[in-house]
Amino acid sequence: MAMSAVARDTVFALRRQIAKIEGTLPERLQAPAPGAPLDAARLDMTLVRRGLAVAAADAFLRTGIERLDTALGGGLPRAALSEIHGLETRDAGTVAGFALSLVSLILKERQGLPILWVGTAEIFHEAGLPYARGLHALFGIEPEQLLFSETPKLLDALWIAEEAARMTAFAAVILEIRGSPQRLDLTATRRLHARAQNAGRPVLLLRQAGAADPTAAPVRLIVSAAPAASRETVAGPLAGSIGRPAFKVDIGKSRTALPGQFTLEWNPNEHAFAERTENSVAVVPASQRGADPASASGAVLAFPALASSASGDQPSRQQHPAHRSPRRAG
C-alpha cells in the first residue's frame, strides 16, 4: 500500500520522539532518502532499546549475585528510580532491611555521603524506624549517615524526595509510601526518575501494602521474608538456631529481564549478599485409596501406610490426633 510523503514523515517523527524517550539506538531510525523506495519490512522493523545494548560497567549497582545481576542486565540501575515492593504490611520490615542492604552496597562506593529517607508520619508510625545499633552491626552504616524526613502529607514527602533526588550531596534517596495513593501516579514517578538520571544517583521507592500500579521505575523488585536457615558451624548446621536474614526477591518488572525468583541471604560480617539454593524434600504419605499423592515442591518420598484396623479406615489408638488426649502441663 502506498504511503504519502506527509504520512511517512509523521511516522518517522514519531519514531524519533520515541527514541528520545526510550533511548533507542539512533542508527536504526534513519529515515530513507527522498525518493528512495520504502518497503514494508523497513516500516515494520522492531525498535531496539538501549537496555539491550552494551552499557557501561558503572551504570549498574551490582548485588553480587551473578544470576540476579545477569537477569537485570548488569544489576540495578544507578541513575534511576528503582521500586522495591512489599505486598503486605507485615513485609515492611523485610522491605526496609533489603533497602538497607542496598544502601550498604552503595555506601561502599560513595563513602562519606549521607542517605536521605523520606516518608509520611503514617508510614513511620506503622513500620517504625531502623535501630541505630543494628544499622552499624548488620549493615555497616553509621547512624549519622542515615537522615530521616517525616512529613504530615504525601504531597510534602514527594516534594522533598524530588528536591533531594536532584542533589549530588546524597548517595541515594529513599521514598517510602504506604498503599496506592493517587498522588503517586505515573507523572510523579517520571519526575523522580528524571531527577535521578540528571543527578546520577539512585532513588529507591519503597511501596508497602499497595497494588503494583504503573510507575516510571525501570525495575520493580517484589520482596518478602524467606525462612532463615540454621546457623552454620564447623560441625555443620546448628539445630534450632537462626542463621542470616533471608529475602525472597521476585523480578516483577524489568525492561530487560524476564520474571524470576531468587532467595538471598545477607551476610552481616562481609556486608554482602549470597544466594541460597533450596533443597527441600517433602515427605508425603501414600494414599490408602489408591489416589495420587498431593503435589509438593521438591522430591516426593512415598512410604507404605500403617495397617488399619478391621473397622475400616479408623486410626489405631497410637494414631489418634493429639487433640483427642490433651497435653498435661507440669
Side-chain angles (χ1 to χ4, degrees), residues 67-321:
R67 285 202 318 125
L68 179 57
D69 291 336
T70 301
L72 294 175
L76 289 174
R78 293 181 183 273
L81 174 69
S82 298
E83 182 179 347
I84 305 176
H85 195 177
L87 297 179
E88 301 181 13
T89 302
R90 63 181 180 180
D91 296 325
T94 305
V95 171
F98 185 78
L100 289 172
S101 302
L102 297 179
V103 167
S104 179
L105 299 179
I106 294 172
L107 291 179
K108 286 182 180 180
E109 304 170 356
R110 300 187 183 276
Q111 298 181 0
L113 294 180
I115 301 290
L116 180 62
W117 195 317
V118 185
T120 60
E122 175 191 12
I123 190 67
F124 287 138
H125 292 170
E126 180 69 28
L129 295 170
Y131 184 49
R133 292 187 177 180
L135 289 174
H136 179 75
L138 295 179
F139 307 102
I141 303 174
E142 299 298 333
E144 59 269 17
Q145 290 182 286
L146 195 57
L147 307 178
F148 291 91
S149 176
E150 180 179 323
T151 64
K153 297 180 181 180
L154 176 60
L155 184 62
D156 300 329
L158 288 172
W159 181 82
I160 293 176
E162 288 181 19
E163 292 300 314
R166 68 197 308 174
M167 302 170 60
T168 58
F170 296 107
V173 176
I174 300 175
L175 174 61
E176 190 171 9
I177 299 296
R178 175 175 170 81
S180 301
Q182 293 182 353
R183 290 191 178 275
L184 189 69
D185 54 6
L186 195 57
T187 301
T189 56
R190 280 174 178 168
R191 289 199 299 264
L192 287 171
H193 183 54
R195 299 287 197 276
Q197 288 181 313
N198 294 334
R201 297 288 191 271
V203 176
L204 303 180
L205 174 62
L206 309 189
R207 298 282 305 279
Q208 309 291 3
D213 298 328
T215 63
V219 177
R220 174 188 293 140
L221 300 180
I222 302 175
V223 179
S224 59
S230 299
R231 183 172 299 176
E232 292 290 339
T233 63
V234 177
L238 183 60
S241 63
I242 300 178
R244 299 167 180 169
F247 309 94
K248 186 179 72 172
V249 181
D250 294 85
I251 301 178
K253 168 191 173 184
S254 176
R255 294 179 180 175
T256 59
L258 295 176
Q261 185 178 107
F262 306 83
T263 301
L264 309 184
E265 289 185 344
W266 176 253
N267 189 330
N269 299 319
E270 300 179 1
H271 302 150
F273 283 114
E275 186 176 8
R276 189 175 72 193
T277 57
E278 303 293 343
N279 295 320
S280 59
V281 176
V283 179
V284 181
S287 174
Q288 298 181 9
R289 303 184 183 275
D292 294 333
S295 59
S297 59
V300 178
L301 303 181
F303 54 89
L306 298 176
S308 58
S309 59
S311 58
D313 295 332
Q314 296 295 328
S316 62
R317 181 178 182 84
Q318 291 79 6
Q319 293 176 272
H320 275 297

